[in-house]
Amino acid sequence: TTMDLEGNAVDQSVLEDYTLTMVNVWATFCGPCLREMPDLGELAEEYKENGVQFIGLVSDTMASDGSIDENQVQTAKEVVASTGANYIHLLPSNDLYGLLSQIYAVPTTFFVDKDGNQVGQTYVQSMTKEEWIKVIDEVLAEVNP
């Protein structure tokens, strides 16, 4: 469980209605992250009908003491608004610590199925819209044979 940028509680049930979920771990200071977010926003809208959802995970909103840094949350909200990445963005939480501890660079993107199982590979890079279309289509074919 965790919270989204708007303070709403989110748990694994967020995955249940989608065949595939792209999880994009990003940071407010990451230029490549911010450059790909407009494309991800467009893709989120375009792939909705195909059962694909996009989730952002803002990696730099947790303070060193484990609390959420509200100034960073505000910065993240501004980034989302300015980039048009109008999909759900999650805040780090203790429940996500195991996952986040494996992230060594941003952006990092991976895919999960409706049960939360990872499918496909992990991408530690930003990509163009065309590159993401190719990847999403390949992973979607894996979960929708």
Side-chain angles (χ1 to χ4, degrees), residues 33-102:
C33 300
L34 306 185
R35 283 191 294 277
E36 77 176 349
M37 286 173 76
D39 287 344
L40 295 180
E42 290 175 16
L43 289 168
E45 197 57 40
E46 293 169 14
Y47 274 88
K48 207 182 282 185
E49 293 175 7
N50 297 352
V52 180
Q53 108 173 295
F54 287 56
I55 292 180
L57 179 53
V58 194
S59 63
D60 64 338
T61 52
M62 187 179 277
S64 56
D65 66 359
S67 66
I68 295 297
D69 181 334
E70 291 303 326
N71 288 333
Q72 279 300 96
V73 170
Q74 189 56 44
T75 300
K77 287 180 181 179
E78 291 165 9
V79 166
V80 168
S82 69
T83 60
N86 296 324
Y87 45 87
I88 188 171
H89 293 270
L90 304 178
L91 300 174
S93 70
N94 288 336
D95 287 353
L96 296 175
Y97 183 76
L99 168 71
L100 286 170
S101 67
Q102 299 173 48

